[in-house]
Amino acid sequence: MNPLLRLYQPAHRRLQQTSIAEGLAPLLLRLYLAPVMLQAGWNKLSHFDDTAAWFGNPDWGLGLPAPELMTALAAGTEFFGGLLLLLGLAVRWISIPLMVTMLVAAFAVHWSNGWLAIADASSWLANERVLEAAERLERAKSILREHGNYSWLTGRGSVVILNNGIEFAATYFIMLLSLFFTGGGRYTSIDYWLARRFNLLPHQR
């Protein structure tokens, strides 16, 4: 038998026998997504009028119909959805509107910018917009080196250009889709304990 296979099989069997491991992956996804959604929803709620103006304006915004309603739906879905993900409550149900929100963000806001969230001309995913941004970035760095304290300005990270592509929205959508199929997770979600309390689990150990 292959030595790698001999190492893999016992570990695989042990993971299968450890039922709490079934809830670990959904838990990690929820703990990652919850603060992202909470922050996005809170930003929209705390700047409701500005967000609604951006949603509705066809010249410098998204030009969406009923912008106040759309803002309320997006903000409420993200904020309260983040809370539900954190608790592991109604995870499959809340994943659906959150996925819709990510699709709207991807296609209405980010699609024309390509994939990359940060403009990186060295990436194989760089489009013309990103490649053109490289020249702007070099010019900005040159100005900062000449007229600013460049070492202080970059002391907490490099200067970059935000490309605002679909990268994050697509990633969050995939994570939410995974939660839609797995649920909140065995032992790690309120959903699991409710299902156990009302005898809704297909198999109990």
Side-chain angles (χ1 to χ4, degrees), residues 24-36 82 85-87 175 179 188:
L24 184 59
L27 174 64
L28 294 176
L29 289 176
R30 285 167 34 223
L31 291 179
Y32 185 95
L33 284 167
V36 173
L85 289 177
L86 192 62
L87 296 171
M175 295 169 75
L179 285 174
T188 62

Side-chain angles (χ1 to χ4, degrees), residues 29-30 32-42 44 72-106 168-180:
L29 289 176
R30 285 167 34 223
Y32 185 95
L33 284 167
V36 173
M37 298 302 162
L38 283 167
Q39 182 64 44
W42 177 252
K44 291 181 179 66
L73 289 174
T77 297
E78 289 173 339
F79 185 78
F80 294 106
L83 286 176
L84 290 174
L85 289 177
L86 192 62
L87 296 171
L89 178 62
V91 169
R92 284 191 168 97
W93 289 106
I94 197 57
S95 293
I96 297 171
L98 284 172
M99 282 190 287
V100 171
T101 302
M102 293 304 104
L103 287 175
V104 171
F168 290 152
T171 301
Y172 300 151
F173 175 86
I174 292 168
M175 295 169 75
L176 289 163
L177 182 63
S178 177
L179 285 174
F180 174 75

Side-chain angles (χ1 to χ4, degrees), residues 109-127:
V109 182
H110 306 290
W111 182 261
S112 61
N113 301 333
W115 175 265
L116 296 174
I118 301 296
D120 179 7
S122 66
S123 172
W124 65 276
L125 292 166
N127 55 14

